[in-house]
């Protein structure tokens, strides 16, 4: 495995920035540029690159979709939220048609925000492509077909040009898929959710979203620490702050940034990507949670190696 590309990082539903949010970013950028002059575009690019993330960028608004890039010819994708649309467009732009490709798609669970991008995934309409949808839910195929059925969608599932197969996986059992060993794990979430661990000869990635971790359930904590053990990257559902996760939003099926740090520390993981961002949080709020996560890791590190923390955003690419 070489890279991880985030095509959608929001939880629950896609969330676009408002006009007011964009206006505030422009005002902040102009204020920072006050009194300065720029000779050319390169000077402008350098200036913009030096602005805070919350001014020159955004965490984005697409729901969950993450690509794992390997050395092999097959494409590995976790979930098909609305981020699947730009993912599909990028594949068409790169490979064109006809140029048959194989896509392995791993579905964490069947809630709409993790499936809604599939009808907009352009490779599914191209003859010659092969799409294998992997998951642990008995209703996996029905859930995918159902959202492409009248009156929900104008294009019926039967109109897909690609060959589409469904693979019902067994939790806790390693599966060799696309040149990678993939192991699913049951997680606490309404209707059940499954995390996936991807292991190649040299690298390991864990995709663990839509999972709630109870602070008093030590057996579960230890089980997930083993699942995350020494991973090069853990993509973790950090939808809430610890206060939210343990109070008003307890039993909502999601976790917090603090628990993500604690699990990765216990697992001796190398890098944590905060993921599945709360749709009500704007860029400034998400960045504060990111900074709080870094501070929490520093004060609880002890004699353990540092844990690298990133907050995932649409378009982020991480080299493994």
């Amino acid at each position: 495995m070489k890279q991880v590309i985030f095509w959608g990082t929001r939880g629950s539903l896609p969330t676009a920035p408002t006009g007011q949010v964009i206006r505030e970013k422009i005002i902040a950028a102009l204020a920072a540029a006050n009194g300065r002059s720029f000779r050319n575009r390169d000077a402008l690019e350098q200036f913009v690159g030096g602005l805070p993330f919350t001014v020159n960028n955004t965490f984005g608004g697409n729901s969950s979709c993450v690509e794992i890039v390997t050395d092999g010819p097959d494409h590995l994708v976790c979930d098909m939220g609305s981020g699947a649309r730009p993912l599909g467009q990028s594949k068409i732009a790169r490979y064109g048609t006809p140029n048959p490709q194989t896509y392995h798609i791993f579905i964490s669970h069947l809630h709409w925000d993790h499936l809604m991008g599939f009808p907009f995934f352009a490779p599914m309409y191209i003859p010659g492509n092969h799409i294998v949808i992997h998951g642990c839910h008995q209703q996996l195929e029905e859930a995918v077909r159902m959202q492409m059925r009248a009156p929900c969608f104008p294009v019926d599932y039967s109109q897909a040009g690609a060959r589409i197969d469904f693979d019902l996986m067994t939790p806790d059992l390693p599966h060799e898929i696309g040149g990678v060993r993939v192991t699913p794990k049951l997680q606490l979430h309404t209707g059940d959710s499954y995390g996936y661990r991807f292991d190649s000869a040299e690298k390991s990635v864990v995709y663990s979203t839509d999972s709630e971790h109870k602070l008093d359930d030590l057996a579960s904590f230890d089980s997930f620490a083993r699942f995350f053990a020494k991973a090069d990257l853990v993509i973790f559902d950090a939808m809430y702050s610890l206060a939210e996760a343990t109070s008003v939003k307890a039993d909502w099926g999601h976790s917090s940034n603090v628990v993500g740090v604690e699990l990765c520390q216990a697992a001796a993981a190398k890098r944590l990507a905060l993921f599945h961002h709360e749709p009500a949080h704007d860029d400034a709020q998400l960045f504060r949670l990111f900074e709080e996560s870094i501070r929490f890791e520093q004060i609880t590190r002890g004699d353990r190696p540092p844990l690298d923390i990133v907050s995932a955003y649409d378009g982020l690419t991480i080299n493994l």
Side-chain angles (χ1 to χ4, degrees):
M1 295 183 289
K2 300 188 298 184
Q3 290 180 323
V4 171
I5 305 174
F6 293 86
W7 296 96
T9 58
R10 285 280 174 177
S12 297
L13 77 165
T15 308
T18 65
Q20 182 61 34
V21 168
I22 295 173
R23 179 185 177 90
E24 292 297 329
K25 289 177 183 285
I26 294 172
I27 290 172
L30 290 174
N34 187 32
R36 302 186 56 161
S37 60
F38 306 95
R39 293 183 178 182
N40 51 43
R41 183 179 178 87
D42 287 344
L44 278 169
E45 290 279 1
Q46 185 175 3
F47 167 74
V48 171
L51 291 172
F53 179 90
T54 54
V55 176
N56 71 8
N57 211 325
T58 179
F59 285 94
N62 278 314
S63 61
S64 303
C65 184
V66 177
E67 179 183 8
I68 298 175
V69 182
T70 71
D71 292 315
D74 294 356
H75 308 276
L76 275 59
V77 180
C78 295
D79 278 332
M80 294 293 279
S82 63
R85 181 176 180 272
L87 166 62
Q89 291 174 320
S90 76
K91 297 303 182 185
I92 298 300
R94 178 171 182 178
Y95 297 104
T97 57
N99 187 356
Q101 303 291 313
T102 297
Y103 298 88
H104 292 281
I105 299 169
F106 300 88
I107 301 297
S108 64
H109 64 305
L110 306 181
H111 290 165
W112 191 32
D113 54 316
H114 293 256
L115 294 178
M116 64 192 306
F118 188 69
F120 301 93
F121 184 60
M124 75 170 292
Y125 297 102
I126 298 175
N129 282 342
H130 184 203
I131 298 175
V132 186
I133 303 178
H134 307 270
C136 298
H137 292 82
Q138 293 288 338
Q139 314 96 318
L140 179 63
E141 182 172 357
E142 173 60 18
V144 172
R145 287 176 174 268
M146 183 169 55
Q147 66 172 348
M148 296 185 66
R149 184 181 300 153
C152 298
F153 197 71
V155 180
D156 190 79
Y157 176 88
S158 62
Q159 295 178 256
R163 172 188 163 197
I164 302 176
D165 293 320
F166 291 85
D167 172 36
L168 194 60
M169 303 177 74
T170 302
D172 302 318
L173 179 67
H175 303 70
E176 296 296 327
I177 300 171
V180 176
R181 186 171 70 253
V182 186
T183 307
K185 179 176 177 58
L186 178 65
Q187 303 177 139
L188 179 60
H189 191 75
T190 302
D192 290 341
S193 172
Y194 293 87
Y196 294 93
R197 181 179 175 112
F198 300 84
D199 289 291
S200 66
E202 298 179 348
K203 300 293 181 180
S204 56
V205 172
V206 174
Y207 179 78
S208 177
T209 190
D210 292 72
S211 178
E212 185 168 2
H213 299 273
K214 299 294 186 181
L215 297 181
D216 58 352
D217 190 343
L218 298 181
S220 176
F221 184 95
D222 290 342
S223 177
F224 274 92
R226 291 192 296 272
F227 188 59
F228 293 178
K230 298 183 180 179
D232 293 280
L233 174 66
V234 174
I235 302 165
F236 187 82
D237 178 351
M239 192 167 184
Y240 304 136
S241 67
L242 181 62
E244 291 173 318
T246 57
S247 58
V248 66
K249 295 181 179 179
D251 301 320
W252 285 27
H254 299 285
S255 195
S256 71
N257 56 332
V258 168
V259 172
V261 171
E262 291 179 330
L263 275 169
C264 285
Q265 286 176 329
K270 295 178 182 177
R271 182 178 292 176
L272 164 65
L274 307 176
F275 183 73
H276 204 266
H277 303 308
E278 163 64 57
H281 289 172
D282 61 17
D283 290 328
Q285 289 171 294
L286 291 176
F287 199 80
R288 283 196 295 271
L289 280 173
F290 168 54
E291 291 180 315
E292 290 171 7
S293 304
I294 292 175
R295 289 195 295 271
F296 179 77
E297 189 278 333
Q298 291 171 342
I299 64 176
T300 58
R301 182 186 304 161
D303 57 359
R304 291 175 291 222
L307 171 67
D308 184 22
I309 302 175
V310 299
S311 190
Y313 58 87
D314 295 9
L316 172 65
T317 296
I318 293 179
N319 294 320
L320 297 173

